[in-house]
Each structure stands twice: as C-alpha cells, then as structure tokens.
Amino acid sequence: MIQKKVCMLGAFAVGKTSLVRRFVHSMFADKYLTTVGVKIDKKQLTHSGKEVLLLLWDLYGEDEFQRVQTTYLRGSSGLFLVADGTRPDTVEKAIELRDKALASLGNVPHVLLMNKCDLSPQWEVRPERLRQLTESGWQIQRTSAKTGEGVEQAFASLTEQMLGGIPK
Amino acid sequence: MSDESNHSASPPTASASTSDEYQQLRSLLVRPERDDIDSLKRQLDERSAVDARSVAAVLPAAFSLASEQNGDLGSAMAPTIESALQTSVRRNPDVITEAIFPIIGSAITRAVHEALLRLLQQTSYALDHAFSLRGWRWRIEALATGKSFSEVVLLHSLVYRVEQVFLIHPESGLLLQHVIADSVATATGQQTQDASMVTSMLTAIQDFVRDSFRVESKAALDSVEVGDLQVWLERGPHAVLACVIRGTAPVRLRELFRRTVELCHRSHSEVLKAYSGDTDDLKGVRPYLEACLQAQQKTEQPRPFAAWFVIGVGLLVCGYFLYGSIVRERTHARRLVFAVESLRKQPGVVLLDATQKQGHFALRLLRDPEAEEVEQVLRSAGLRPEETESVVTPYLAMEPELVLRRARRALAPPDGVQLSFNITDGVLMALGTASEQWIADAKLLVRVVVGVRSFDCKVKPLPREKTLYEVLYDRARIIEAIDFRFRAGSIELLPGQESQFQKAVTELKQLLALADGDRTGMNVTVEVHAHTDTIGDELYNLKLRESRAKVMSHWLASAGIDMRRLRPVVPLQFEQERSERATSFRVIITGGINHREGAR
C-alpha cells in the first residue's frame, strides 16, 4: 500500500471540509479544526492496481485573524487549494497559499478546486482569470460540495500526479 | 665498400655494448619495483585462494568483534542461517533431528512445567478475583466499559503493558509500521488503517504544541499522558517510534525503544531516508516493533493451596464422568455378551454375528419358526428393542425340542395324548387315548413333520360317539315298536293303552326336538299307518283304516305333536304288512350328513 500526505488549503469558508466530507473516512470531529487547526481524514483509492491511502490534512481556513500553520505542510506530497467561485478574492488567496506552501515544500503536485460549481450563474470569478491560470500551469477542477461533482476526479487527478514520479 | 662495411660493422658493436649497459642500469634502477610487480601479479593469479585463506584467518576474530559491538551481525546472518537450515532439513532431516534430539526431552518437560505453572497462576488469579468484593467491582467495570471480565482483570493485574507500537515518518506523520498486542487487538478490534490517521494527528499535535509554545524546531514531545495511558515517543532522524503503554512502565523501556529506533534505522536506512510511501518496503521492521510489546504483571501472592484445591476438584469431577462413561461402556458391553449367550443357548436360534455400532447392537440370526421370539430373548437379557437391530432368516432346526414342537403344531393332539420324540432314531411316539379319527389323521399328517422318520402310535381309540342320525334312528325304532289296538270295526282304542300313548307322545317329542336342533339338516316325518283285519268288506275296512289313521294323528296333534310332521298312511289290503286292528308308526328321516331314507 502506498501512503501519501495531502494538505487541503484555502481561504476561510470556501467549503473545504464540506467538499470532502462525503468522500472520506473520518475519526476526528470538526472541532479539531478550530482547536488544533487541522483535522485528518483518510481517502482510500486504487491507482494502477495498487492500493493508495491519502491522509488528508484539512487545514483551518486562513483569514485576517488566523494564519495557516506552515509546519502542518511538512512532508506533504500534494496539495488541494480550494477557492469559492462566487468570491474572486478566494482565488487570489489560493494562489498566495500555494506560493507559500511551495516555498517550504518545493514543487509538489497541486490542484485548484473551484468550489460551488452548482452556483455557476452567480460566479464572480471570470473565466478569463481561470484561463490565465490554466495557461500559467495550474491544474483546475470545478467541484461542488452540494452535488459532489468533480471531487472523485480531483482525488484521481492529484494521485496520478503524485505517483507519476514513482517507478513502477 | 669495405669502409662502408666496417663502418657499418663497428656501430652495432658500440650499440650492443651501450644496450647492455642500459639494461644493467635499468635493472639496477627498477628491480625492486619489478619484483613488487611480479609479486603482485602472482598474488592476482592466486587471488581467490589467498582471499579465502586470509578471510578464514580473521573470520572468528571478526565475528567476536562484531557481536561485541552491536547486533547487526546476527540480523545480517539470520536469513543465511534460516535458508541453510531449510536446505539441510529438505536434503536430510535426520541430521537436524539427531542434533536436537538430546534437548527435545528436556524442552518438552520444561514446556509442560511452564504450562502447568501458568495454569496454576491463572487459576489463582481467577480464584482471587472471581468472588471477592474487588472481583465484583471489576465485573461492574467490565459491564460499564463493554470490556470482557478477563480483560478488566488483566488490566488491573498489570504493572504495565505496551499495547501498541507505531513507527512514524516524522515529517509527514505517515504510518510506517504498526503492531498491536494480541489481547488488545481482540478486545478493541482496532484496524491498522485507523492507526494511520492516529499517527497523522499525533504528528499534528506535536507540531501544534511546538508552534504554540514556540520551542525550537528540533525539540519534540517525549511523552503524552492521558489517564493510565501513556504514549512514549522515541525519535530517530527518519523515523519516530510511538509506544502506547497502559500502566506505569519502567524507565528501562526507554532504552529498549531507543535501541529499536536505532535498529530500524540501521536495517532500513536507505528506505527511511527516501521514503516513497510504500509500506511494503518496511515490513522487515515488524519483528523489532513486536519485541517492544512487553508487559509485566503485578506479583501478588498466589494461593497455591486454593488453586490446587480447585484443580483437584476439577480432576475429581473429570474422573467421575470418565469413570461413569467407562462403567456405562462396560455395562453396555456386558449386556451384549449376556444377550449373545442367551441367544446361543436358545434351541432353534443360530447367531451368525453380533456387532456394536453407534450405541446399538446389530444382530444377524437364523431362527426356526417354532423357536422363541428373538425380541423376547433379548428383552429377557436386558436389551431394549430400540437398542437392537436384528436381521432374522428363517430355517428348520433339528433339535428334538423343535421337532417335537413342530409335531405338536401339525398333529394338534387332544388332551389325552402325550407325544415324545427320540432324536436317536427319529421316532415320534404317541401315548394315551384319542378318537379313531384323530389317530387316522395323525398317521397321515406325521409324514409332513420335518425331522420325524417314523411314527409309533400307541394311542388307544376312544369308543365312537353316535351320530345324530344313529341317535334318531335308535329313537325311531322305539317309536316304531309302539302300536295301538282298536276295538273291532271301531276307531275306539281298546282300554289300558293310555300309558302307551303317553310314551309314544314323549318319544315323538324327543325325536322331533333332536331333529329340529340347530343346523342338523335332518328332516323327520312320522307316518301313521292304520291296519284292519281282513274280515268283512274291503271298502269298509279301507274307510276304517283311513279313520283310524286320521284319529290317531288327531290325538297326537292334540297332545302337542306338530301336525305337519304327521302323515296318515292308509294302505290297500294287499299292501298291509299286518292284519290287525291297530295303528303303527314309521319314521322317515331325510337330510343330514349320513343321508339315509327310512329307518328300515
């Protein structure tokens, strides 16, 4: 079995925890997020016939009062950066967090999850901005915590990127 | 030309001398190096032999030195030794068997001794805790916590127990390996996969503590304590050992944990340095982690006497049941033997075989139809019918009793006849008295009795009983002897015949009653013949005869004789047998077995 640590980062209230709740196995309560600043879930999947266990570190959302504790990022093999399509500032926050994380981790695989795709008509993030990001190398996945759309694909995509470097 | 040749001859001479000098000089200058090269060349040629010799010379010392320094040599050699042992056993198991044979006996004795000691100790603990106040308190605790009673007893009896050991990747908090004590695994059913989340959270909490109190980055938690649970952490550069301990562990455990971390690093340094996330790469460290699952029990003063008492009672109960089952088995077997003996003694029964299977007896027998019923014999021997399963084949027995029974059934001798049989000459003898008919029938029937060669019938015939016909016939003769005299030319009887008439009426009534009995099939008609003398006119006489016959019939009917049975007969003169003034009777009997018309 292959184990990988994956961190989930994003601005406050972008729906990180809700996004994965239905897709992961939990043993710790949400209160850890507000107390310790992190909550750990696990996600089991199969990649190329090999069992893979993702330890998902859900880090407390960053806002003006609380900073993400970068020590939690140590040893991560991949990142999920979550943004809310209805709040353009969350995309910028995701970029900022990514830069901060890569500065300490080095270049690890990461996927930007554009959440709340069920509310597409109300999105304020312009498609041009997303296109720009894609062109600059960002991997973007549209997701919805409400419908579950795109979440499994996000796990599969990040796993693919992380295990790409492992010789078979 | 010659100059040329001289010229040409002289320089080689000079050149040769120069060359020799050069060679000498060269030899002087490089000989030592050359010798060295030659020696090295020789060594290279004999390299393998030299290597083996030199290694052999230093090997024992090297082994001692390595053993003193650390445990690496043992770890390194273990796979080779295991493989060598496997090969040896496969090739010839006798070698290893002979080698370990001298220690097998003492090893078994020791194992048995330790098992007994353990049993004694456990029984003591169970006794101590089962009925005491403390025992009841623990029972309530077990109910409240959902743990088994034995688990609660164990927890309270422990000084400490290392319940789980995690090997953790320090940076990512990923679980490298995890072992769990057997009893804990059974009690909690905890799965390794949850352990991966536990180690991640543990790492996160360490980071949290470090960040919260702004301690230096290399500083870390040594232990975490919650209630009677402690987590001891032992760090290495690429792996952290986290041991979950219940109770109060001795400090020396730290040393064991430290050595374990070192061992893990030594044996899997490359894998740990560049951990790819594949847990299979670190399976090899499990034995090291398992060695950390240590426990120590409280040394309470055991009560061997009580334990011995309980074990003794247990043995007694076992003995009682064992004895009971042996006794039952023996009784069962004895009953079969008794039944078999009884069957063997039965005349007309041949036991072919008797077996006992699945709690019941299977018998195969031959039985004469005249012999005792098999079920009856078995019941008398104490076997219930549902315990036996008999397959009986009929046959004819030649034992005298059986031949005699067969003869009795065939001949059905009356009470006055005794039958006996002599096996020697096969003679059936009959004594006593019986009807002629039985004697005649017996002589015929005896021929079909198997086993009887001849019949010696000494039965005296009984006087024959009269048949109904004969009885009727005798009575008819009495009636026919009676006649009544009339006055001349009259239908008036001569005086003094009243008693005669009464006799006639009585006889006739008896005769008719006999004949009319149930199912005799006999029919009796009484003809009343009238006679006259031959004096006078025949026509007158004829009428007189007619009158006499009718009046006699009428008188008899009046006296109670059925008129339908009376037939007045008036013969013509020439037909008269008698020429008297009288009436007489002729009784006609018809029907019945011995049908015969008329009495005379």
Side-chain angles (χ1 to χ4, degrees):
Chain A
M1 189 170 64
I2 306 282
Q3 295 186 94
K4 291 288 174 192
K5 173 176 173 178
V6 173
C7 281
M8 199 153 65
L9 299 164
F12 180 69
V14 290
K16 293 195 306 295
T17 310
S18 315
L19 186 61
V20 295
R21 197 189 303 280
R22 279 194 285 154
F23 299 89
V24 299
H25 176 77
S26 297
M27 72 178 284
F28 302 108
D30 288 353
K31 68 174 182 188
Y32 286 87
L33 268 174
T34 46
T35 51
V36 186
V38 65
K39 177 174 166 284
I40 287 147
D41 301 314
K42 71 173 185 189
K43 169 71 181 172
Q44 196 158 7
L45 41 90
T46 313
H47 176 79
S48 309
K50 184 117 187 168
E51 259 191 279
V52 181
L53 187 71
L54 303 183
L55 272 307
L56 202 63
W57 290 46
D58 178 2
L59 306 190
Y60 190 75
E62 180 161 305
D63 54 24
E64 62 266 38
F65 306 109
Q66 189 167 346
R67 304 270 132 213
V68 163
Q69 284 174 286
T70 45
T71 44
Y72 290 156
L73 296 169
R74 288 193 307 137
S76 273
S77 300
L79 298 174
F80 278 132
L81 293 138
V82 187
D84 178 352
T86 63
R87 287 160 53 201
D89 58 313
T90 60
V91 176
E92 301 317 314
K93 176 59 83 177
I95 295 165
E96 183 194 323
L97 287 169
R98 193 270 312 245
D99 294 342
K100 205 193 266 185
L102 295 197
S104 67
L105 287 175
N107 192 17
V108 296
H110 52 278
V111 176
L112 175 63
L113 306 180
M114 287 304 300
N115 200 19
K116 304 193 184 172
C117 74
D118 51 301
L119 300 174
S120 280
Q122 296 157 38
W123 272 28
E124 291 183 13
V125 177
R126 302 262 67 85
E128 297 79 48
R129 178 64 180 134
L130 296 182
R131 205 176 305 122
Q132 262 177 8
L133 289 173
T134 313
E135 280 164 7
S136 63
W138 276 85
Q139 183 94 19
I140 301 177
Q141 174 72 46
R142 291 159 69 90
T143 59
S144 165
K146 194 171 176 186
T147 63
E149 188 188 330
V151 182
E152 287 291 3
Q153 290 93 314
F155 280 120
S157 162
L158 187 64
T159 308
E160 170 75 38
Q161 289 186 59
M162 288 189 298
L163 299 187
I166 291 180
K168 305 252 160 68
Chain B
M1 176 81 182
S2 66
D3 278 348
E4 211 174 297
S5 67
N6 289 339
H7 178 78
S8 63
S10 64
T13 314
S15 170
S17 96
T18 312
S19 175
D20 283 348
E21 282 167 7
Y22 172 70
Q23 282 300 335
Q24 279 173 4
L25 183 63
R26 189 174 155 211
S27 163
L28 281 170
L29 284 173
V30 298
R31 180 176 288 167
E33 284 76 12
R34 213 169 145 177
D35 288 348
D36 285 350
I37 288 168
D38 287 346
S39 161
L40 281 170
K41 203 175 164 190
R42 271 200 305 281
Q43 275 185 30
L44 275 174
D45 289 344
E46 297 170 356
R47 182 181 174 174
S48 58
V50 169
D51 273 0
R53 267 200 294 277
S54 55
V55 170
V58 296
L59 203 55
F63 271 27
S64 305
L65 206 59
S67 304
E68 278 166 19
Q69 281 172 355
N70 52 46
D72 281 0
L73 185 64
S75 309
M77 285 181 65
T80 315
I81 291 172
E82 280 164 11
S83 155
L85 278 171
Q86 277 174 353
T87 312
S88 168
V89 170
R90 252 199 313 273
R91 199 177 293 156
N92 183 8
D94 291 346
V95 177
I96 298 287
T97 311
E98 276 173 30
I100 63 169
F101 180 74
I103 57 162
I104 283 180
S106 58
I108 290 172
T109 312
R110 194 169 155 189
V112 169
H113 178 249
E114 278 181 7
L116 263 175
L117 217 57
R118 215 166 29 243
L119 174 70
L120 191 67
Q121 215 167 25
Q122 282 169 357
T123 315
S124 295
Y125 272 122
L127 270 179
D128 279 350
H129 304 315
F131 306 112
S132 63
L133 191 64
R134 186 170 56 173
W136 285 110
R137 205 168 61 231
W138 289 352
R139 265 176 213 286
I140 293 166
E141 187 185 325
L143 276 176
T145 55
K147 289 174 182 162
S148 71
F149 177 63
S150 56
E151 171 72 3
V152 172
V153 170
L154 190 67
L155 289 180
H156 285 284
S157 317
L158 284 171
V159 176
Y160 75 91
R161 177 175 67 184
V162 180
E163 296 194 335
Q164 299 188 55
V165 178
F166 301 88
L167 192 68
I168 307 168
H169 190 250
E171 287 191 343
S172 61
L174 291 176
L175 178 68
L176 303 174
Q177 278 300 326
H178 174 221
V179 295
I180 184 164
D182 287 345
S183 52
V184 180
T186 325
T188 62
Q190 195 163 356
Q191 290 178 354
T192 318
Q193 287 190 4
D194 288 343
S196 58
M197 281 196 281
V198 170
T199 54
S200 293
M201 202 73 215
L202 189 65
T203 309
I205 288 169
Q206 287 185 77
D207 292 343
F208 171 74
V209 172
R210 197 185 297 123
D211 287 353
S212 304
F213 299 103
R214 297 179 190 285
V215 289
E216 59 169 304
S217 66
K218 282 189 179 174
L221 279 180
D222 277 342
S223 64
V224 181
E225 274 189 49
V226 188
D228 65 340
L229 266 188
Q230 302 174 53
V231 184
W232 283 13
L233 296 147
E234 197 59 51
R235 322 193 137 259
H238 306 297
V240 178
L241 190 74
C243 303
V244 181
I245 306 163
R246 190 177 291 276
T248 316
V251 185
R252 63 171 173 79
L253 268 191
R254 277 267 175 217
E255 178 57 25
L256 170 69
F257 297 159
R258 195 185 53 73
R259 270 192 282 119
T260 304
V261 171
E262 285 172 6
L263 208 52
C264 293
H265 278 81
R266 265 207 303 273
S267 60
H268 292 77
S269 59
E270 294 307 316
V271 178
L272 286 173
K273 256 183 228 167
Y275 181 56
S276 68
D278 195 341
T279 49
D280 293 350
D281 295 344
L282 284 159
K283 274 185 179 166
V285 303
R286 288 185 70 85
Y288 308 146
L289 304 193
E290 276 159 1
C292 295
L293 292 172
Q294 300 214 342
Q296 188 190 337
Q297 287 203 319
K298 284 176 189 164
T299 49
E300 288 186 36
Q301 195 59 41
R303 288 195 241 159
F305 291 116
W308 279 121
F309 175 75
V310 168
I311 291 171
V313 169
L315 285 175
L316 272 179
V317 170
C318 289
Y320 173 76
F321 283 109
L322 193 66
Y323 177 73
S325 98
I326 290 170
V327 165
R328 266 198 305 282
E329 196 61 34
R330 287 186 63 175
T331 312
H332 212 52
R334 211 176 294 140
R335 276 161 63 215
L336 179 63
V337 170
F338 187 53
V340 165
E341 281 307 306
S342 304
L343 283 171
R344 288 222 167 99
K345 281 180 193 159
Q346 273 311 311
V349 174
V350 179
L351 184 64
L352 299 175
D353 64 48
T355 50
Q356 189 179 355
K357 53 180 179 186
Q358 290 162 2
H360 74 277
F361 305 115
L363 305 170
R364 261 185 347 109
L365 326 115
L366 298 176
R367 175 182 167 270
D368 188 289
E370 297 302 330
E372 279 288 316
E373 288 290 344
V374 171
E375 257 189 30
Q376 187 56 43
V377 178
L378 293 175
R379 203 174 279 127
S380 310
L383 290 187
R384 291 188 300 278
E386 62 269 19
E387 286 181 304
T388 55
E389 192 181 281
S390 313
V391 180
V392 181
T393 311
Y395 89 113
L396 287 172
M398 288 299 146
E399 283 107 319
E401 302 96 305
L402 272 300
V403 176
L404 197 56
R405 276 187 215 170
R406 207 175 296 140
R408 281 208 184 98
R409 189 182 290 278
L411 306 185
D415 289 345
V417 175
Q418 283 99 48
L419 293 178
S420 61
F421 179 68
N422 187 344
I423 185 71
T424 323
D425 49 14
V427 174
L428 180 71
M429 182 182 280
L431 289 172
T433 51
S435 70
E436 283 181 359
Q437 187 61 50
W438 182 84
I439 296 168
D441 290 349
K443 286 179 178 167
L444 284 173
L445 290 170
V446 79
R447 295 180 194 168
V448 299
V449 178
V450 176
V452 175
R453 281 208 288 277
S454 63
F455 185 37
D456 183 4
C457 186
K458 292 193 171 134
V459 178
K460 287 178 186 157
L462 282 171
R464 197 173 62 85
E465 281 182 22
K466 284 186 177 175
T467 62
L468 178 61
Y469 177 81
E470 286 167 335
V471 172
L472 291 175
Y473 180 78
D474 290 346
R475 293 206 170 262
R477 282 180 64 188
I478 295 167
I479 291 165
E480 284 174 354
I482 299 170
D483 56 4
F484 295 96
R485 303 283 166 172
F486 287 84
R487 288 176 190 279
S490 168
I491 56 167
E492 204 177 313
L493 283 174
L494 287 169
Q497 293 184 93
E498 289 81 5
S499 63
Q500 181 89 336
F501 182 75
Q502 279 308 318
K503 185 186 174 189
V505 169
T506 308
E507 287 294 334
L508 276 170
K509 277 185 180 172
Q510 282 181 359
L511 175 71
L512 291 172
L514 278 170
D516 288 351
D518 275 351
R519 293 178 203 149
T520 62
M522 308 297 270
N523 194 12
V524 172
T525 306
V526 179
E527 290 179 349
V528 181
H529 288 251
H531 309 281
T532 58
D533 56 18
T534 52
I535 303 164
D537 183 37
E538 169 54 22
L539 192 61
Y540 176 79
N541 284 345
L542 187 65
K543 283 210 185 254
L544 186 59
R545 286 200 291 274
E546 191 180 350
S547 300
R548 280 176 179 165
K550 280 183 178 169
V551 79
M552 179 53 71
S553 299
H554 180 71
W555 287 336
L556 291 169
S558 302
I561 305 298
D562 186 357
M563 190 64 180
R564 286 171 299 181
R565 298 297 182 92
L566 298 170
R567 193 162 71 190
V569 176
V570 183
L572 294 173
Q573 189 163 16
F574 66 87
E575 289 171 333
Q576 285 198 119
E577 289 171 358
R578 299 159 63 181
S579 303
E580 289 168 321
R581 302 174 199 114
T583 54
S584 63
F585 303 103
R586 189 166 176 193
V587 178
I588 300 188
I589 304 166
T590 56
I593 301 164
N594 299 315
H595 180 262
R596 211 183 296 169
E597 193 172 334
R600 269 180 283 191

